[in-house]
Amino acid sequence: EVAPGITSSFTVLASTEIALKFGQLPSAATIDAPLTPLSVETVDQFGNVVESDNTSVVVVSLASNPNYAALAGTLTATCAAGIATFDNISINNVGSYELAAVGGVGLQLALSPVFSVSPLPVTKLVVATAPSSANPGQTLSPVVIDLEDANSAIVIGDTRAITLSIVNSGGIVTGTTTANAVAGVATFANLSIPAAGNYTLTATDSQGTPAAS
């Protein structure tokens, strides 16, 4: 039996870079929280990473921005072995987005898949507008309750029901005392209290969020 002929090892090198391509892709995130680390590669016409590229500068921006969001973090990086890495990018508004990566002259830009940014959860109910003094049975001035996250930002996508009640024992409030939030804000416009006295209202939801009063 004739032994097979075997060559010594050899290398096939990527040719000149012509385009950019996202390597590690962005995934779903929450508002103002860092995206998963991203990487952008310089590649040749066959899609091979050009590992000899240590000079190309890549800039990341929002390709689609329906909600007028802004990117934060380090948006410019220099390739190392053909890969530019971005590890602290965040977006300051909820919505669906697409990133664009651009490089030097002659490099085709890259577009990421669309990904979503979600709001932070509601952590507190805040009285934005308290009622002013009124006569017994008179309609109180509108009471406005904001649904806020841990950064004191209104969670505009939240529509949960909020209920107002009187803290004082024996007090009664009439009118529409439960309202669904609209864009993270619950408004009560037809409340009244039939008996004279000093009162405090409290706002609660069904999810155990700390009450506002």
Side-chain angles (χ1 to χ4, degrees):
E1 181 178 351
V2 178
I6 301 175
T7 72
S8 57
S9 63
F10 60 95
T11 302
V12 177
L13 298 174
S15 57
T16 303
E17 61 272 15
I18 65 166
L20 298 176
K21 181 181 74 173
F22 276 92
Q24 291 176 282
L25 298 172
S27 60
T30 53
I31 187 170
D32 289 326
L35 303 176
T36 53
L38 311 175
S39 67
V40 179
E41 303 166 349
T42 55
V43 297
D44 65 13
Q45 67 267 38
F46 302 110
N48 300 304
V49 177
V50 182
E51 296 182 357
S52 61
D53 183 4
N54 295 298
T55 58
S56 291
V57 176
V58 178
V59 179
V60 171
S61 62
L62 285 170
S64 62
N65 190 6
N67 297 322
Y68 305 99
L71 286 180
T74 303
L75 307 180
T76 300
T78 301
C79 286
I83 300 175
T85 302
F86 304 84
D87 59 8
N88 66 347
I89 293 177
S90 62
I91 299 178
N92 71 345
N93 204 353
V94 298
S96 296
Y97 299 98
E98 184 180 27
L99 296 179
V102 297
V105 176
L107 287 177
Q108 299 173 13
L109 66 80
L111 295 175
S112 76
V114 175
F115 61 96
S116 61
V117 175
S118 303
L120 292 172
V122 174
T123 60
K124 55 187 174 181
L125 305 178
V126 176
V127 178
T129 305
S132 56
S133 297
N135 295 321
Q138 180 183 356
T139 300
L140 302 175
S141 57
V143 180
V144 179
I145 307 297
D146 290 348
L147 284 62
E148 297 185 358
D149 63 24
N151 296 325
S152 297
I154 295 174
V155 181
I156 60 174
D158 202 293
T159 59
R160 74 185 62 187
I162 303 298
T163 298
L164 285 185
S165 58
I166 288 183
V167 175
N168 312 61
S169 177
I172 297 174
V173 59
T174 62
T176 303
T177 57
T178 297
N180 289 323
V182 176
V185 177
T187 303
F188 302 83
N190 67 345
L191 303 177
S192 63
I193 298 175
N198 294 317
Y199 297 97
T200 299
L201 298 177
T202 185
T204 57
D205 63 13
S206 63
Q207 302 180 36
T209 305
S213 60

